[in-house]
Amino acid sequence: MERVSRGGALALLFSLMLASAYTAAGADSATPSANCVVLLHGLGRTSLSMKALQWRLQDAGYGVVNITYPSLSHPIQELSRMAVDEGLAGCAALGLDRVSFVTHSLGGILVRHYLAQHDIPGLQRVVMLGPPNQGSQMADYLESLGLLEPFLPSAVVQLGLSEQSVPRRLGPVSFQLGVIAGTVNHLPFLPGQPDGLGDGTVAVSETLVPGMTDFLELPVSHTFMMWDKDVAEQVIFF
């Protein structure tokens, strides 16, 4: 065997260390690309409302499925199946079998309802932005306006505080969940506002659910929290 000089040995060792570091860094940076993130918007919105999150998650290396579902024309029981199944099909089309969800408002309730009925193989984590996990005082207020009740979407009525409230009947979560609640209300003078600190639509207390992994309050409003840079950073971090 050829004898290696001391200088050559040091150079070889340094090269091996660089190669090892590069391999480790490559493995870490490749991790997001093996994951699919399904984005589910809130009531009355579309996939456009989640575009900023889509772009930031894609920049971070994740495969993203951003869908629009008919939130105004079906009850939660149907929406959960329609939206989640479409999201999972999108991940399968990308060839990705590790799935996470990022949801806004009603979208989080759809994921909770779906997981109460079905298992999702490869489920990683869920982040919910402003979810009415304890029901919604505002939904109750809208339902109390008798003239509007015939025109309210089924999902609004199902988000109230009564015994028929879908989120209140779902119970604790059994998956890894991070919740972000907003604390900025730009229109505090509007009627039907939830009691206490909130984002103008959902109170902070209404976002909580037993079993969640992490919880964070940020100075954002319900309508625009999906476009906030700090929210996006926390979503990616979790």
Side-chain angles (χ1 to χ4, degrees), residues 51 59 66 68 76-77 82 123-124 131 148 173 196 206 214 232:
K51 271 293 180 183
D59 286 345
N66 185 12
T68 295
I76 289 174
Q77 292 84 345
M82 295 165 61
L123 179 64
Q124 303 297 297
L148 288 180
V173 299
E206 292 174 337
D214 204 355

Side-chain angles (χ1 to χ4, degrees), residues 33 35-37 62-65 88-97:
S33 65
N35 287 271
C36 182
V37 180
Y62 293 92
V64 180
V65 176
L88 295 177
C91 290
L94 293 175
L96 304 175
D97 56 9

Side-chain angles (χ1 to χ4, degrees), residues 4-27:
V4 181
S5 68
R6 182 178 179 183
L10 288 174
L12 178 61
L13 178 61
F14 183 68
S15 298
L16 290 173
M17 290 173 63
L18 281 179
S20 177
Y22 178 81
T23 301

